[in-house]
Amino acid sequence: MSRLVPCLAAVTAALTLVGPALAADWTDNAFGSDSDLRSGFSEEDWANSDVGGPIDYQLGARYWYSWGAQSFGIGGGLPALTENDNTHAAEIFGRVNDESTGYYAKAIGGLSFKTSGTYSGFDSGSLTGGYIGYAGADLGYSWLGNFKSPAQLGPFVGYMYWNDSPNASTTSGLNSFTTATSAADIGYDPTTGATSFPGDSTANKVEVNMLRVGLSGQARLGSMVDLTGEVAAVPYANLHGVLGSVVGAPTYNPMLPGGIINVGGIQASPTSVDGWGYGAMAEAFVGFHPTDHINLKLGGRAWYLQGTADTTFARATIGNPSDSDIANPPNYDTAPSFSRQDYITRQNPWSLFRYGLLTEFSYSF
């Protein structure tokens, strides 16, 4: 009995190892047929099974030269802030195809390294840098055809973060505002009546989080050329950010004796925007494959969003100093008045548009 257990174990192990090999070529001749036992699978299903590792990977880099445009309504009768730029961006991306199920996942991330252009509003000038950044991921399904077919098409759903923040110049005061919160923050010269106050500035920063739903496809034109593309609707996009100081130029008080003119009103906070929107995104490529693994592509891309947003800001009103005792110096012995008002304007229109040319190098394995 003591020898039986190890013997049975050895036989079981041998059958376990031999069984798969026999099953791979076993026919059911004993049952009157020449067909394989695996005939329940089509050739395509068998090729796309887990045998042979049907997971394909693609990693690559892209260069995107784009033209961008922004428009933000401020409300309150103030002119909209508009911007136009040219931007160079570097991008990385990856994709995983599961041949056995038809599903795929892909992700991209990009960041600009040079931006130039102009802006206009209550003032106008040149952009001083800023940046464009984006990152997102999609999950899709090859509905018609598979990844090895001459053509394939399928739906996808995904998420995209887009930061579109070219920066307006501060030389004309567009992004400048006072940080004063009370009369104690306002300085003045008791002899001339000239006032002074603390200030600050902030860079523009516009961020969008969006949902994408669309279709992607590919058509092979022989063994070395293909066409790929996608189109996506953006049913919902959440926008928030800061536009610096864009709610009107400073106002001025009447001239004092001696030719002194003081600021009478000035923005007292950055301008914040918070809203929602919708839009569409699309891209297309012509690809060339000098080898089975190397991909070179040239294409184009366009993104457009529009919606409405609430705009929040504050303004400070500063009076001239005065003289309560004209007979005695100094000329100005009473400090200037100060008040701060908070404002919000609702349902202001906004839009973002970016389009341009793409080049790609990628490797598949």
Side-chain angles (χ1 to χ4, degrees):
M1 182 66 180
S2 60
R3 296 179 182 177
L4 181 59
V5 173
C7 288
L8 290 175
V11 172
T12 302
L15 290 175
T16 301
L17 295 174
V18 175
L22 293 176
D25 295 316
W26 191 276
T27 62
D28 57 352
N29 288 333
F31 301 95
S33 172
D34 293 332
S35 63
D36 293 340
L37 286 178
R38 69 186 186 186
S39 60
F41 294 95
S42 68
E43 290 297 326
E44 182 179 342
D45 291 337
W46 188 263
N48 289 338
S49 71
D50 291 338
V51 177
I55 304 297
D56 296 331
Y57 302 91
Q58 183 181 20
L59 296 175
R62 293 172 180 152
Y63 162 71
W64 187 17
Y65 179 76
S66 66
W67 294 266
Q70 294 183 356
S71 177
F72 286 93
I74 305 303
L78 297 169
L81 172 67
T82 61
E83 171 272 330
N84 293 275
D85 69 82
N86 302 105
T87 295
H88 304 260
E91 178 180 315
I92 57 174
F93 74 95
R95 176 170 174 142
V96 179
N97 297 329
D98 184 351
E99 301 285 354
S100 63
T101 64
Y103 285 96
Y104 69 87
K106 67 182 182 71
I108 67 170
L111 185 64
S112 65
F113 55 87
K114 183 179 180 181
T115 297
S116 60
T118 60
Y119 70 86
S120 63
F122 74 82
D123 201 353
S124 61
S126 299
L127 299 176
T128 56
Y131 63 93
I132 313 300
Y134 51 93
D138 297 327
L139 177 65
Y141 176 69
S142 182
W143 183 27
L144 299 176
N146 58 45
F147 301 114
K148 304 299 186 185
S149 301
Q152 58 113 161
L153 179 70
F156 68 85
V157 62
Y159 160 82
M160 176 75 74
Y161 166 81
W162 179 12
N163 188 320
D164 201 282
S165 304
N167 194 33
S169 170
T170 61
T171 56
S172 63
L174 181 68
N175 280 0
S176 300
F177 50 89
T178 182
T179 57
T181 59
S182 68
D185 297 323
I186 308 301
Y188 72 99
D189 186 320
T191 300
T192 64
T195 58
S196 61
F197 46 82
D200 199 357
S201 65
T202 186
N204 292 351
K205 185 176 182 180
V206 176
E207 298 178 291
V208 186
N209 293 276
M210 67 191 91
L211 172 68
R212 289 163 32 96
V213 181
L215 291 172
S216 68
Q218 181 181 54
R220 301 180 187 277
L221 308 179
S223 61
M224 299 183 66
V225 179
D226 67 19
L227 303 176
T228 58
E230 67 176 43
V231 59
V234 179
Y236 178 79
N238 175 265
L239 175 137
H240 64 278
V242 175
L243 299 178
S245 172
V246 294
V247 293
T251 59
Y252 297 91
N253 288 323
M255 182 185 299
L256 294 172
I260 299 297
I261 301 177
N262 293 318
V263 171
I266 187 172
Q267 187 163 339
S269 74
T271 302
S272 299
V273 291
D274 188 7
W276 73 279
Y278 58 92
M281 312 176 83
E283 63 184 37
F285 290 94
V286 176
F288 174 68
H289 313 284
T291 73
D292 290 340
H293 300 288
I294 294 176
N295 310 291
L296 304 174
K297 294 186 178 183
L298 177 66
R301 173 188 286 161
W303 296 349
Y304 178 76
L305 297 175
Q306 67 176 30
T308 59
D310 295 342
T311 303
T312 306
F313 59 93
R315 282 188 68 84
T317 301
I318 304 169
N320 275 328
S322 59
D323 188 359
S324 61
D325 184 2
I326 299 177
N328 298 306
N331 296 333
Y332 301 96
D333 56 17
T334 303
S337 60
F338 176 89
S339 63
R340 189 178 186 272
Q341 302 84 34
D342 294 319
Y343 297 91
I344 181 169
T345 62
R346 300 190 180 277
Q347 302 296 305
N348 302 305
W350 62 269
S351 65
L352 299 176
F353 186 32
R354 186 160 299 279
Y355 67 99
L357 301 175
L358 287 154
T359 58
E360 174 187 314
F361 172 83
S362 62
Y363 186 83
S364 302
F365 56 96

